[in-house]
């Protein structure tokens, strides 16, 4: 098992280019199943989750080829309808193939994703929505079986603006008979990216980015080419990295409008952020101030940046309250960061961050993707050496993470860990 060895205390400097968004690329790859024709995606990050999605598509019968951030997907005329447990267990987001498969084949058999490190992450909104479109659902022997003799549009009101459910239903509805209206839809930028891709394939979608999305079903979709939007979570992670190390970096190829609330919170804490069209300059301050943060669906504070910002708040003066409203169990990394000298106490979905800490290197374990990245940030901010174990979680979502950090001056090496304990459940 691999670890990162980090010698902290070096202010980051220079510029870093942001990769394509993991959370968009995975859905665009799944959307390519909606046609028999080839699709081409540019700016796809070469990360483990993308490789897993490619495995899922290949398992279903598609031909997937990679070349320098360009991914070509040829689903062909014959597709299987089964996404097996081994792959869905490896990456929960695999369930996103359900909508495209039932739209194209009239059936999908997808393994139940099972346990997850950041809470139960149910899929009832996905299933209820598909039922509303006329599919019948039957869960047995650990598989979800979805069948339909032809989906028909309807009004679907989500109980909560779930990102995955909104995406699954948009894809299922793209070729359904008549009009589908998704109310209380997720408004994340990745939803807009998916709508753009589906539109270029011939779908008729309006309202993406608002809480009401209207999809007028079409008889079929064609192949298309699309460039994946920049990864706003990776961008936020690098901004937090500059801040916790007191660095000064330029982050390129991002859309600052995707990070408005995050940037305003960084400024409230005392980080200097200058925004340009497709880049930001982020300079750490001398002193940081405590700030309360509550995660919410977009355009609220992103839950995926909750852990990185907690590292920064640990260095701020005073107490901050962080409230996690999106996922249960997303404070699992707190015990790890406290091992580095932070003082964070949790109660339910609230965490009190007692700031003013001096972080010191130690051995810590990444419990999931975003928490893993936050532990790397904490290591960069710590005096001495930190070993972050189980970095397979980080490899799922950050392209060339240590190379990018090293180019900014960080002292970080990938190494074989002495850890012999079994690996934690995969998110
Ligand atoms: C996606 C992102 C993840 C991000 C999250 C919220 C991907 C691959 N992952 O996850 O990085 O943190 O959005 O921005 O894009 N829920 C239900 N029933 C459902 C669906 C969701 O109760 O059917 C609950 C979940 O348990 C969770 C909340 O709704 O508490 C939000 O989940 P959702 O928005 O669906 O997140 P994901 O799409 O899984």
């Amino acid at each position: 098992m691999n670890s990162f060895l980090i010698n902290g205390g070096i202010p980051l400097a220079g510029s870093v280019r942001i990769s394509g968004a993991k959370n968009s690329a995975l859905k665009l790859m799944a959307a390519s199943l909606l046609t028999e024709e080839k699709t081409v995606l540019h700016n796809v990050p070469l990360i483990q989750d993308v490789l897993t999605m490619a495995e899922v598509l290949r398992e279903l019968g598609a031909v997937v080829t990679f070349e320098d951030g360009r991914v070509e997907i040829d689903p062909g005329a014959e597709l299987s309808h089964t996404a097996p447990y081994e792959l869905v267990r490896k990456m929960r987001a695999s369930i996103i193939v359900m909508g495209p498969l039932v739209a194209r084949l009239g059936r999908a058999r997808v393994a139940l994703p099972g346990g997850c490190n950041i809470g139960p992450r149910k899929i009832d909104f996905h299933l209820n929505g598909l039922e509303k479109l006329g599919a019948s659902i039957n869960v047995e022997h650990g598989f979800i079986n979805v069948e339909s003799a032809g989906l028909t549009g309807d009004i679907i009101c989500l109980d909560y603006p779930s990102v995955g459910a909104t995406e699954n239903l948009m894809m299922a509805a793209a070729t359904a008979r008549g009009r589908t209206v998704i109310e209380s839809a997720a408004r994340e930028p990745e939803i807009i990216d998916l709508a753009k891709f589906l539109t270029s394939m011939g779908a008729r979608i309006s309202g993406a980015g608002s809480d009401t999305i209207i999809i007028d079903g079409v008889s079929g979709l064609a192949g298309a080419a699309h460039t994946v939007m920049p990864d706003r979570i990776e961008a936020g992670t690098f901004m937090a990295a500059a801040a916790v190390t007191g660095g000064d970096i330029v982050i390129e190829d991002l859309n600052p409008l995707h990070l408005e609330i995050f940037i305003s919170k960084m400024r409230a804490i005392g980080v200097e952020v200058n925004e340009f069209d497709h880049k930001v300059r982020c300079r750490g301050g001398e002193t940081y101030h405590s700030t309360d943060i509550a995660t919410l669906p977009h355009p609220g504070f992103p839950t995926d940046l909750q852990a990185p910002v907690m590292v920064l708040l640990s260095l701020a003066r005073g107490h901050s309250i962080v409230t996690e409203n999106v996922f249960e169990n997303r404070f699992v990394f707190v015990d790890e960061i406290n091992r580095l000298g932070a003082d964070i106490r949790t109660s339910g979905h609230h965490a009190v961050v007692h700031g003013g800490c001096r972080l010191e290197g130690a051995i810590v374990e990444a419990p999931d993707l975003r928490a893993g990245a936050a532990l790397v940030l904490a290591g960069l901010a710590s005096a001495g050496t930190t070993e972050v174990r189980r970095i397979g979680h980080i490899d799922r979502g950050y392209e060339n993470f240590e190379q990018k950090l090293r180019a900014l001056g960080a002292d970080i090496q990938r190494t074989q860990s002495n850890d012999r304990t079994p690996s934690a459940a995969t998110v």
Side-chain angles (χ1 to χ4, degrees):
M1 202 163 281
N2 286 330
S3 294
F4 283 138
L5 272 186
I6 303 162
N7 289 310
I10 303 171
L12 299 186
S15 65
V16 59
R17 187 196 157 265
I18 293 308
S19 299
K22 167 180 96 73
N23 287 353
S24 183
L26 297 177
K27 321 308 168 61
L28 302 175
M29 290 173 77
S32 69
L33 296 174
L34 283 162
T35 173
E36 289 184 16
E37 297 178 14
K38 267 187 206 164
T39 55
V40 178
L41 299 172
H42 300 278
N43 200 32
V44 177
L46 197 58
I47 51 177
Q48 190 52 51
D49 273 9
V50 161
L51 297 177
T52 304
M53 184 54 88
E55 271 186 76
V56 173
L57 299 187
R58 286 182 184 127
E59 180 72 28
L60 294 169
V63 177
V64 185
T65 47
F66 286 83
E67 197 190 328
D68 289 340
R70 177 184 185 276
V71 176
E72 195 174 288
I73 300 165
D74 184 356
E78 299 291 323
L79 275 183
S80 144
H81 69 292
T82 303
Y85 177 64
E86 290 69 31
L87 292 175
V88 182
R89 183 188 176 277
K90 206 163 157 188
M91 184 183 68
R92 184 187 186 279
S94 313
I95 58 164
I96 207 69
V97 297
M98 202 158 42
L101 286 179
V102 73
R104 177 132 171 235
L105 307 174
R107 58 187 186 149
R109 180 172 152 78
V110 178
L112 276 168
C116 168
N117 293 359
I118 57 173
R121 294 182 90 167
K122 292 183 290 192
I123 52 168
D124 47 340
F125 306 150
H126 301 240
L127 302 184
N128 295 344
L130 288 172
E131 271 182 336
K132 202 85 201 293
L133 297 179
S136 63
I137 310 235
N138 161 30
V139 180
E140 58 176 13
H141 304 300
F143 275 87
I144 309 156
N145 297 298
V146 189
E147 297 218 356
S148 153
L151 299 172
T152 306
D154 205 334
I155 298 174
I156 302 168
C157 187
L158 296 176
D159 288 359
Y160 179 92
S162 153
V163 175
T166 302
E167 293 165 333
N168 234 334
L169 296 171
M170 279 166 73
M171 292 192 272
T175 55
R177 266 189 305 271
R179 172 169 283 194
T180 300
V181 180
I182 307 176
E183 292 176 348
S184 294
R187 298 164 58 187
E188 270 67 4
E190 291 77 12
I191 303 281
I192 302 177
D193 212 30
L194 176 61
K196 281 185 186 159
F197 180 51
L198 291 172
T199 302
S200 65
M201 293 171 82
R204 292 177 55 208
I205 300 178
S206 60
S210 79
D211 59 6
T212 304
I213 301 178
I214 299 171
I215 303 126
D216 286 304
V218 294
S219 56
L221 297 178
H226 182 83
T227 300
V228 180
M229 61 172 271
D231 196 314
R232 61 197 171 97
I233 306 302
E234 186 197 13
T237 304
F238 276 99
M239 289 170 73
V244 299
T245 61
D248 179 356
I249 71 173
V250 174
I251 299 162
E252 294 177 352
D253 288 356
L254 80 163
N255 184 345
L257 298 177
H258 292 165
L259 282 162
E260 276 189 328
I261 183 120
F262 178 76
I263 289 175
S264 78
K265 286 291 179 185
M266 294 288 276
R267 287 183 177 134
I269 293 169
V271 181
E272 194 178 326
V273 183
N274 304 112
E275 292 175 55
F276 306 92
D277 278 352
H278 297 290
K279 62 182 179 183
V280 296
R281 180 174 178 187
C282 192
R283 269 177 286 189
E286 288 293 307
T287 317
Y288 292 133
H289 317 288
S290 57
T291 304
D292 294 341
I293 284 173
T295 67
L296 283 171
H298 192 78
F301 192 95
T303 174
D304 288 346
L305 289 172
Q306 176 250 100
V309 88
M310 292 251 261
V311 181
L312 182 57
L313 293 174
S314 293
L315 306 175
R317 274 205 199 132
H319 304 340
S320 306
I321 297 174
V322 176
T323 304
E324 173 56 56
N325 291 309
V326 179
F327 286 113
E328 293 174 42
N329 298 356
R330 220 172 191 179
F331 290 137
V332 280
F333 75 105
V334 161
D335 288 342
E336 297 300 309
I337 185 176
N338 284 348
R339 288 175 49 71
L340 297 171
D343 181 359
I344 304 176
R345 299 169 204 190
T346 60
S347 172
H349 67 134
H350 300 290
V352 180
V353 185
H354 297 268
C357 295
R358 185 175 182 277
L359 301 179
E360 288 183 347
I363 299 173
V364 287
E365 259 180 24
D368 65 46
L369 166 60
R370 305 302 173 188
L375 288 170
V376 169
L377 267 45
L380 295 170
S382 295
T385 305
T386 297
E387 179 180 344
V388 182
R389 291 183 171 177
R390 303 209 166 154
I391 59 172
H393 288 300
I394 302 172
D395 293 336
R396 285 186 35 221
Y398 289 88
E399 187 179 46
N400 298 331
F401 197 38
E402 72 265 36
Q403 289 89 338
K404 288 184 180 185
L405 286 169
R406 267 206 300 274
L408 295 170
D411 182 348
I412 174 169
Q413 303 298 331
R414 183 176 289 254
T415 172
Q416 198 73 22
S417 144
N418 294 323
D419 181 14
R420 291 283 175 264
T421 47
S423 62
T426 311
V427 179

